[in-house]
Amino acid sequence: MAGWPAAVAALPAGPLVLSVDGPAAADWDALAEGLAAALRSAGWDADLLDVRGHYAPSAAERLSARPVPEHDRFFTPLSEAQAADLFDAVPRPVKPVDGGVVVVVFGPGAALCEPDVLWYADLPKRYAEAAVAHEDLPVGVNLGRPGEPGDLVRLFYTDWPVQDRHRDAIARRVDRWIDLQDAHAPASLDGAALRRTLAHLARGPVRTRPYFNSTPWGGRWAASELGFTPQAGNTALGYELIAPEAGVLIGERSGAHVEVPFQLLCVLHPEDMLGREVHRRFGTSFPIRFDYLDTMGGGNLSLHCHPQERYMREVFGWPYTQHETYYVTAGAPGSKVLLGLTEHADLDTMRRQVEDAIADGTPMPVEDHVQAHPARVGQLFMIPAGTPHASGAGNLVLEVSATPYLYSLRFYDWLRKDANGASRPLPYEHGFANLDATRRGEDVTKDLIQQPRTLRAGEGWREEVIGALPEMFYAVHRLVVAPGAEIADDTAGRFHILNLAAGQGAVIETADGRTHFLAFAETLTVPAAVGAYRVRSVGSDEVCVVKALVVEP
Ligand SMILES: O=P(O)(O)OC[C@H]1O[C@](O)(CO)[C@@H](O)[C@@H]1O
């Protein structure tokens, strides 16, 4: 259903305390106004209580984790605070006696006020990120600091973990889920229907809603080939499936839609989604992400590496690290991927050059230190933590990576400056602390640019392993299916992620009769609970499906 009047019409009889919880990025004043108007026109007497006015004076400070090292400008560890830390004392509204009265308690943390009815009003995270980046109030604020322009470091490492934990903790008792994307007529779904739908989705193939963000290196492939509207002139980073931020659309094709976080599937149905063993290892964190790096008509990514396992835990607070792989889906002639140290790379020289580039804009001779490889379509590049890398200009890379994605420890950004003359953050000290100086020269090609190995094959199909390393917890396979052929597969108790990397399309069919058409460049999650399924090629071309799965430790 859509609109406040419809949501209000579904309320039980009063008197009531109704809490509306949700992220700091919601426009809470507009929500209160719209909801109160609908309540009053439905004959309710509505009293409003904004919980943000009851936050402890030190709430904002309490929420954030201390940086390691102490004055780090770039990162803080993920906050371990709870929504309850926002308050010295949670407000406890007095329940009205008159049946026509509703007390509406709203704002982040409102669920803690022991309501009779609990609604969750959500705004997908991409809105908060864009609003904070552009200092757009009232949405672009941080948790515990209403009214003040927000800050992205705080949004990523403090607000999101605290808000996600809180949302996940109350998901089982939410009476209505509200999607605030259309602020005037928010779509909503009753809690029982939401949970029934999620239970169904967790046992069949599910696709998340894609979107693209712009960066200084972004290209235009997704704009020209898929028709996406570039946010700031380019379609650099395609969020296909980045679990903590991904949403699933629920609704009728032509009716109202509610976008709900993909993460709710993992929280409410961890064994169905992840499988018992993966759930045991990763909790409810969905550990693999698929995204696009579009540099077609754009520039080079920064030269960077990602944190080693232990550093990731101790400095950034993630239990597993940002291993990556790049699958080249398309590339302009002559395009490259930078990957791995050259045989004679000298890290002292490299550090001096990184510092000179920052201090006085001296260009760094990158290829003295890092190897450049031809970006052939269909090649997978393995990028375990600590490996210096960058996709070059002219590529469409499908990243098949571990879920954390905000830890690019940049060494060099090609002297790029924004409109205000500022460079992007270059946390190169973290970079050097994590750089793997041991894998270099020919070992890079041998270990990280692997040749496909056929795992199994039949008439018109084969499954290849295209990338696996002992230090990485997931492997990347490829299903190759001839026109008119099909391949049988089985999740065998752990989820698969599929992406159609070549060909016109494929149909995924599960044993319980669900079918899902996958078009070129689309990604699909096959939950662990699916078990046996088939992939049938569609069209006159051979189909290549990139598949990722968690492997045995
Ligand atoms: O620092 P840059 O150039 O924006 O590159 C960042 C991107 O690089 C990656 O780490 C891929 O290597 C992505 O996960 C990330 O979005």
Side-chain angles (χ1 to χ4, degrees):
M1 62 170 70
W4 290 119
V8 162
L11 278 172
L16 286 182
V17 174
L18 164 65
S19 279
V20 190
D21 207 320
D27 182 347
W28 289 102
D29 295 337
L31 179 150
E33 202 178 299
L35 175 55
L39 284 166
R40 285 171 190 141
S41 26
W44 290 89
D45 192 350
D47 289 340
L48 303 183
L49 189 157
D50 182 347
V51 290
R52 296 171 305 167
H54 293 258
Y55 289 163
S58 59
E61 199 192 320
R62 259 189 226 168
L63 292 185
S64 65
R66 300 258 160 274
V68 180
E70 208 183 332
H71 297 296
D72 192 353
R73 292 184 290 135
F74 307 108
F75 301 99
T76 63
L78 294 182
S79 170
E80 292 184 352
Q82 304 296 328
D85 296 327
L86 287 163
F87 305 96
D88 282 333
V90 175
R92 294 262 180 265
V94 181
K95 183 156 176 167
V97 274
D98 181 334
V101 181
V102 55
V103 177
V104 181
V105 189
F106 63 95
L112 302 173
C113 302
E114 297 182 354
D116 302 307
V117 177
L118 173 58
W119 291 359
Y120 193 88
D122 198 25
L123 191 64
K125 286 176 173 165
R126 57 184 177 276
Y127 292 96
E129 183 177 346
V132 168
H134 300 119
E135 301 190 356
D136 287 344
L137 294 180
V139 172
V141 297
N142 289 130
L143 185 61
R145 291 175 174 168
E148 287 175 53
D151 154 310
L152 282 173
V153 168
R154 198 172 167 95
L155 179 76
F156 296 149
Y157 309 121
T158 296
D159 301 0
W160 284 355
V162 175
Q163 289 177 172
D164 290 359
R165 222 174 355 259
H166 177 59
R167 175 203 64 202
D168 295 351
I170 62 177
R172 284 189 174 75
R173 55 191 180 89
V174 165
D175 297 301
R176 176 162 298 277
W177 189 276
I178 300 164
D179 177 341
L180 292 173
Q181 288 177 76
D182 180 349
H184 301 293
S188 72
L189 183 64
D190 131 79
L194 169 70
R195 284 180 287 273
R196 266 198 317 276
T197 307
L198 292 175
H200 174 77
L201 288 175
R203 303 189 61 83
V206 58
R207 172 149 168 75
T208 49
R209 176 184 201 159
Y211 63 99
F212 284 79
N213 260 352
S214 299
T215 71
W217 43 257
R220 296 191 51 86
W221 176 86
S224 60
E225 298 300 312
L226 304 181
F228 275 87
T229 312
Q231 303 298 312
N234 66 62
T235 46
L237 183 62
Y239 289 62
E240 271 296 299
L241 171 62
I242 300 188
E245 300 187 31
V248 177
L249 290 177
I250 300 179
E252 305 276 319
R253 221 169 252 287
S254 50
H257 286 97
V258 177
E259 183 174 337
V260 298
F262 175 81
Q263 193 54 32
L264 286 187
L265 286 164
C266 304
V267 166
L268 297 179
H269 302 283
E271 288 203 4
D272 282 352
M273 285 302 291
L274 299 154
R276 182 169 304 163
E277 170 57 19
V278 179
H279 172 40
R280 197 187 54 72
R281 274 169 78 186
F282 292 94
T284 55
S285 176
F286 190 84
I288 303 179
R289 78 181 138 100
F290 274 41
D291 57 71
Y292 284 112
L293 303 174
D294 171 6
T295 57
M296 288 280 201
N300 301 326
L301 267 69
S302 70
L303 177 69
H304 61 280
C305 73
H306 300 300
Q308 304 277 1
E309 208 73 64
R310 179 162 172 206
Y311 201 92
M312 185 64 149
R313 250 194 331 274
E314 293 176 358
V315 177
F316 301 125
W318 267 86
Y320 61 99
T321 199
Q322 187 172 341
H323 295 301
E324 297 189 330
T325 73
Y326 283 0
Y327 184 86
V328 183
T329 298
S335 66
K336 295 178 193 167
V337 166
L338 294 166
L339 179 74
L341 291 176
T342 55
E343 182 67 43
H344 301 293
D346 176 58
L347 299 194
D348 292 333
T349 310
M350 181 172 160
R351 172 187 283 271
R352 218 172 25 252
Q353 292 172 348
V354 163
E355 288 172 346
D356 288 350
I358 295 171
D360 50 32
T362 311
M364 176 176 163
V366 169
E367 292 183 30
D368 285 0
H369 311 292
V370 181
Q371 304 182 30
H373 305 273
R376 270 191 299 273
V377 171
Q379 179 65 55
L380 184 84
F381 295 90
M382 311 291 292
I383 315 173
T387 311
H389 65 285
S391 171
N395 292 329
L396 177 70
V397 162
L398 172 69
E399 260 202 89
V400 179
S401 296
T403 290
Y405 75 102
L406 293 169
Y407 300 89
S408 292
L409 310 179
R410 298 188 187 112
F411 300 106
Y412 184 61
D413 202 24
W414 314 94
L415 309 179
R416 275 186 288 242
K417 300 262 189 283
D418 67 16
N420 305 319
S423 353
R424 295 192 297 166
L426 288 163
Y428 70 90
E429 288 294 2
H430 285 297
F432 281 107
N434 284 282
L435 190 61
D436 174 3
T438 57
R439 188 181 271 127
R440 44 173 74 217
E442 281 177 8
D443 284 348
V444 171
T445 318
K446 184 163 68 60
D447 297 349
L448 307 185
I449 310 179
Q450 304 179 358
Q451 294 311 307
R453 305 179 290 287
T454 300
L455 193 63
R456 56 195 184 106
E459 190 63 35
W461 62 266
R462 66 181 185 278
E463 176 167 3
E464 306 167 325
V465 179
I466 57 171
L469 277 179
E471 64 262 52
M472 288 174 60
F473 66 81
Y474 62 97
V476 187
H477 294 194
R478 182 165 55 196
L479 310 176
V480 183
V481 192
E486 64 176 28
I487 178 170
D489 209 338
D490 198 310
T491 57
R494 51 193 56 212
F495 70 85
H496 292 173
I497 310 178
L498 308 179
N499 173 283
L500 198 87
Q504 290 153 8
V507 173
I508 319 303
E509 291 171 336
T510 61
D512 69 357
R514 296 191 212 182
T515 60
H516 191 112
F517 177 73
L518 197 60
F520 174 61
E522 287 185 347
T523 304
L524 191 69
T525 302
V526 184
V530 165
Y533 69 97
R534 313 177 81 73
V535 178
R536 183 160 44 85
S537 72
V538 173
S540 50
D541 296 339
E542 181 180 82
V543 157
C544 289
V545 175
V546 170
K547 158 178 150 183
L549 70 166
V550 175
V551 292
E552 298 293 337

